[in-house]
């Protein structure tokens, strides 16, 4: 059985891991026999988890939960159970793609708009031409379309399904469907397809190093995100103090 150091942060067991270690952990975990769920968390996710017991249980039961933002890292230090560092998915995903390509594994991309996920698939294929991208689909579909989607994925049998629907929708979808799907890994990736496609450029490196990428994101989509980050961060601080 795979062993991984985890720290309990606001009730969620988060992997204490570095950017250099996480690709190795993920690739090694593919040898596990059971189906695996990989989730990231940030301050927003931890606030949601403390408001929604179902979402919290999904995170708690996952094979791997890692810190995709600076919030959990800061909280861990304040609470005396420090995580090693934040591990945003875009910072290490190329290493995953490269190794999947070498090992002849296949992936399926699910989420974002059809335009964005198609462009993301094209860009991934441009960088990793031998990587088997079994298929892709937007994250917007009806119940009837979902049934057809599940049949399509089961026909294609990808090793990993990347699900980018935002939290907690992506985690709920994975939890509901992973036992119906013929795949090995179910990985929630948030806005990764929009980042890869270029629809949502990442913050400059100096902003990332300061841990202020969330602020950059808020200015990208202020109407949609201001409550999440401003009010959400106040709730997050309250939870840390309370804990």
């Amino acid at each position: 059985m795979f062993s991984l150091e985890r720290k309990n942060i606001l009730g969620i067991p988060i992997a204490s891991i570095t950017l250099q270690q996480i690709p190795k952990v993920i690739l090694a975990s593919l040898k596990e026999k059971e189906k695996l769920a990989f989730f990231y968390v940030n301050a927003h996710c931890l606030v949601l988890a403390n408001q929604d017991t179902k979402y919290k249980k999904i995170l708690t039961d996952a094979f791997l939960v890692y810190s995709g933002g600076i919030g959990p890292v800061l909280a861990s230090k304040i609470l005396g159970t420090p995580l090693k560092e934040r591990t945003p998915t875009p910072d290490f995903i190329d290493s995953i793609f490269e190794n999947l390509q070498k090992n002849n594994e296949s992936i399926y991309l699910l989420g974002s708009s059809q335009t964005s996920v198609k462009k993301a698939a094209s860009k991934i294929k441009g960088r990793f031409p031998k990587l088997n991208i079994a298929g892709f689909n937007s994250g917007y579909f009806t119940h009837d379309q979902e049934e057809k989607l599940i049949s399509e994925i089961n026909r294609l049998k990808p090793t990993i399904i990347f699900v980018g629907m935002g939290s907690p929708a992506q985690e709920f979808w994975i939890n509901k469907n992973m036992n119906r799907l013929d795949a090995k890994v179910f990985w929630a990736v948030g806005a990764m397809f929009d980042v890869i496609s270029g629809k949502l450029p990442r913050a400059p490196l100096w902003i990332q190093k300061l841990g202020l990428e969330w602020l950059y994101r808020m200015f990208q989509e202020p109407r949609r995100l201001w409550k999440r980050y401003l009010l959400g961060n106040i709730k997050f601080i309250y939870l840390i103090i309370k804990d």
Side-chain angles (χ1 to χ4, degrees):
M1 179 58 67
F2 197 84
S3 178
L4 182 64
E5 182 186 7
R6 295 173 173 86
K7 300 293 179 72
N8 189 298
I9 311 299
L10 299 179
I12 306 299
I14 304 175
S16 184
I17 200 165
T18 66
L19 269 175
Q20 287 70 37
Q21 293 170 334
I22 192 167
K24 297 175 184 178
V25 166
I26 288 171
L27 293 164
S29 69
L30 295 180
K31 298 176 182 178
E32 295 287 307
K33 293 182 179 180
E34 71 271 22
K35 293 184 177 184
L36 309 176
F38 298 163
F39 301 136
Y40 67 86
V41 288
N42 51 33
H44 174 62
C45 298
L46 292 179
V47 169
L48 289 177
N50 277 270
Q51 296 172 341
D52 188 323
T53 54
K54 183 179 178 182
Y55 176 48
K56 188 173 187 176
K57 187 176 189 310
I58 290 171
L59 292 178
T60 301
D61 292 345
F63 181 85
L64 173 66
V65 177
Y66 59 94
S67 180
I70 194 64
V73 177
L74 294 176
S76 72
K77 292 178 180 178
I78 294 169
L79 296 171
T81 53
L83 297 169
K84 291 177 181 176
E85 64 178 326
R86 72 187 188 105
T87 49
T89 311
D91 284 2
F92 64 87
I93 195 64
D94 280 0
S95 176
I96 301 295
F97 289 150
E98 183 178 358
N99 279 276
L100 292 174
Q101 176 177 253
K102 289 178 182 177
N103 295 328
N104 297 314
E105 307 286 5
S106 63
I107 65 173
Y108 192 97
L109 312 181
L110 177 62
S112 190
S113 68
Q114 190 67 14
T115 300
S116 187
V117 71
K118 182 178 180 180
K119 192 170 182 179
S122 177
K123 288 203 169 186
I124 293 168
K125 195 68 174 177
R127 293 203 295 267
F128 306 96
K130 293 183 180 180
L131 177 60
N132 182 2
I133 301 178
F136 58 85
N137 200 83
S138 83
Y140 304 98
F141 42 77
T142 64
H143 174 74
D144 289 341
Q145 290 170 333
E146 182 179 53
E147 293 306 307
K148 291 180 181 178
L149 172 66
I150 288 172
S151 295
E152 178 194 17
I153 293 172
N154 285 337
R155 177 179 62 82
L156 296 169
K157 295 180 173 57
T159 305
I160 300 178
I161 302 175
F162 292 97
V163 183
M165 299 177 179
S167 297
Q170 58 196 8
E171 289 84 6
F172 285 146
W173 192 89
I174 289 171
N175 182 67
K176 181 181 78 169
N177 293 298
M178 65 185 296
N179 288 330
R180 303 174 63 199
L181 288 162
D182 191 355
K184 173 68 177 176
V185 172
F186 302 80
W187 189 344
V189 294
M192 188 182 80
F193 304 145
D194 289 338
V195 171
I196 292 174
S197 71
K199 181 181 177 181
L200 286 177
R202 291 193 72 188
L205 190 58
W206 67 270
I207 292 179
Q208 295 180 40
K209 288 182 177 180
L210 288 174
L212 295 175
E213 197 163 8
W214 64 269
L215 186 61
Y216 187 85
R217 281 285 293 115
M218 187 180 71
F219 280 108
Q220 284 179 312
E221 299 181 89
R223 289 186 179 181
R224 188 174 75 87
L225 297 177
W226 76 269
K227 285 186 179 180
R228 174 189 297 187
Y229 288 122
L230 295 184
L231 299 182
N233 284 350
I234 292 172
K235 292 178 183 178
F236 182 60
I237 293 168
Y238 167 75
L239 287 173
I240 296 171
I241 294 171
K242 182 181 176 183
D243 200 61

